[in-house]
């Protein structure tokens, strides 16, 4: 009786969003851009770029003078500059040929993070998301008819890039592990056969562990320092490392996203919260994640006012 009603519900409650919904990731994507830039050697931990709002819109904050500050402030122009250096490395005199080489290298890095393909979890309904490569843009613009200036929105997790919430949570796990992950899964073993073999395989990203430290410090500042974009996610006795995203949505209000892991040292949980049509990531997704992190680690919630605010909120704009 209830199933046909749920099936016809316009909000699609039966649609497995964590596995199958493919969204632009927004600013959480800047974490991976930082890591790729560091590994490629086109930036260092102390690279600074001005927050040039003439290049792309951004909120007010000091000019980032390091990766840590860029993550903390979530500076859009900073990441346009970083990804331009990743894509256009002057390996070819033609900017179009150069961009093709750079984008395909970037694509390989993203695939090593488990993006642009199915993670092969043990839950049905998983989608691969989308990480564009040179062939993808050739279909749209023609071979050697595009460059970084054409595709620059991917720098801040917009444009053609799409991830599932499961992939977003896995990014947090990869960063917590400083470069590696197991395939996300629910079933540990079947009967007495022990752990399922494919879920014991360690998948390593193309980024060396040493490059994760400045990004992790930036994530700590996001939640725990003035100027961070997720101060509402802070917990008194658990150091959360996180990153907000506010995802542009042409169909309505922006989406709110936050990924995190905790504690900073010896992490026990990685999480992604994606709230459709809720606006700024630090306002809604961040606090929700912090409540879930605290409940998981301590088996209780201590900030009852924060919990009440979330429980009383009407974020969908619907009935």
């Amino acid at each position: 009786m209830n199933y046909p009603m749920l099936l016809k519900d316009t909000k699609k409650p039966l649609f497995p969003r964590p596995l199958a919904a493919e969204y632009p990731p927004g600013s959480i994507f800047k974490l991976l851009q930082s890591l790729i830039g560091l590994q490629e050697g086109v930036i260092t931990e102390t690279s600074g770029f001005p927050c040039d709002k003439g290049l792309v819109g951004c909120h007010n904050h000091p000019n980032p003078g390091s990766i840590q500050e860029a993550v903390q402030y979530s500076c859009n122009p900073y990441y346009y500059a970083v990804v331009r250096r990743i894509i256009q490395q002057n390996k070819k005199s033609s900017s179009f040929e150069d961009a093709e080489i750079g984008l395909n290298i970037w694509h390989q890095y993203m695939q090593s993070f488990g993006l642009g393909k199915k993670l092969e979890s043990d839950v049905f309904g998983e989608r691969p998301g989308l990480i564009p490569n040179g062939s993808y843009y050739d279909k749209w613009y023609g071979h050697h008819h595009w460059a970084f200036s054409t595709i620059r929105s991917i720098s801040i997790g917009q444009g053609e890039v799409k991830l599932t919430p499961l992939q977003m949570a896995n990014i947090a796990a990869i960063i917590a592990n400083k470069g590696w992950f197991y395939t996300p899964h629910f079933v540990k073993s079947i009967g007495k056969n022990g752990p399922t073999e494919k879920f014991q395989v360690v998948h390593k990203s193309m980024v060396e562990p040493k490059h994760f430290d400045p990004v992790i410090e930036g994530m700590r500042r996001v939640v725990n320092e003035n100027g961070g974009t997720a101060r509402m996610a802070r917990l008194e006795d658990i150091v959360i490392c996180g990153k907000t995203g506010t995802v542009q949505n042409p169909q309505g209000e922006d989406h709110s996203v936050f990924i995190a892991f905790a504690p900073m040292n010896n992490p026990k949980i990685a999480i992604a919260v994606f709230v459709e049509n809720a606006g700024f990531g630090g306002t809604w997704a961040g606090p929700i994640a912090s409540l879930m992190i605290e409940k998981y680690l301590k088996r209780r919630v201590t900030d009852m006012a924060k919990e009440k605010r979330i429980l009383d909120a009407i974020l969908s704009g619907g009935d």
Side-chain angles (χ1 to χ4, degrees), residues 44-311:
T44 68
E45 180 180 339
T46 57
S47 291
F49 299 99
C51 182
D52 181 1
K53 296 183 181 66
L55 180 64
V56 58
C58 199
H59 53 283
N60 293 324
H61 59 75
N63 288 323
S66 66
I67 284 289
Q68 294 93 325
E69 291 180 349
V71 172
Q72 178 183 359
Y73 303 144
S74 195
C75 180
N76 289 336
Y78 187 100
Y79 285 96
Y80 271 40
V82 170
V83 179
R84 183 191 293 115
R85 290 191 176 188
I86 294 171
I87 303 298
Q88 305 276 191
Q89 295 193 37
N90 298 317
K91 294 181 177 180
K92 292 286 186 178
S93 58
S94 165
S95 62
F96 303 113
E97 293 182 57
D98 193 45
E100 180 182 38
I101 293 171
L103 182 69
N104 286 336
I105 292 171
W106 175 87
H107 181 267
Q108 291 173 5
Y109 276 104
M110 289 300 175
Q111 288 216 311
S112 79
F113 291 116
L115 307 181
K117 58 185 178 180
K118 293 181 181 180
L119 287 167
E120 303 299 339
S121 180
D122 54 2
V123 185
F124 176 78
E126 186 182 354
R127 294 280 298 165
L130 174 62
I131 299 295
N133 59 9
S135 297
Y136 179 91
Y137 286 117
D138 284 350
K139 292 177 182 177
W140 282 95
Y141 302 109
H143 189 51
H144 291 164
H145 281 79
W146 54 270
F148 171 75
S149 59
T150 318
I151 63 172
R152 61 182 191 167
S153 292
I154 66 172
S155 303
I156 56 173
Q158 295 287 165
E160 293 73 30
V161 175
K162 288 182 173 55
L163 309 185
T164 66
L166 178 63
Q167 290 172 326
M168 296 178 190
N170 199 47
I171 289 171
I174 292 169
I175 296 174
N177 292 335
K178 296 186 179 181
W180 61 271
F181 68 96
Y182 294 116
T183 299
H185 58 279
F186 279 102
V187 177
K188 185 175 182 180
S189 64
I190 299 174
K192 297 181 180 180
N193 296 327
T196 306
E197 185 175 343
K198 76 171 185 176
F199 297 139
Q200 298 181 76
V201 176
V202 174
H203 302 279
K204 294 183 179 180
S205 77
M206 292 169 59
V207 178
E208 296 174 78
K210 66 181 181 180
H211 295 308
F212 285 81
D213 287 332
V215 174
I216 290 171
E217 169 58 19
M219 294 173 72
R220 184 196 68 80
R221 296 183 186 188
V222 166
V223 180
N224 299 282
E225 299 291 341
N226 291 334
T229 56
R231 291 280 292 151
M232 294 177 70
R234 186 175 180 272
L235 295 173
E236 290 296 330
D237 52 353
I238 298 172
V239 179
I240 295 175
C241 295
K243 182 70 190 76
T244 58
T246 304
V247 179
Q248 295 175 11
N249 174 25
Q251 279 77 45
E253 186 73 23
D254 291 343
H255 303 313
S256 175
V257 59
F258 183 73
I259 67 170
F261 65 86
M264 180 177 182
N265 299 315
N266 193 22
K268 301 293 185 184
I269 179 174
I271 190 169
V273 174
F274 198 103
V275 188
E276 294 180 347
N277 310 308
F280 184 57
T283 303
W284 295 109
I288 291 170
S290 72
L291 290 169
M292 297 176 73
I293 288 170
E294 184 177 38
K295 182 71 173 181
Y296 179 82
L297 293 176
K298 298 168 60 177
R299 299 295 186 262
R300 62 189 177 92
V301 170
T302 57
D303 191 338
M304 306 310 294
K306 182 191 292 184
E307 182 181 54
K308 185 178 188 304
R309 174 177 173 269
I310 298 300
L311 292 175

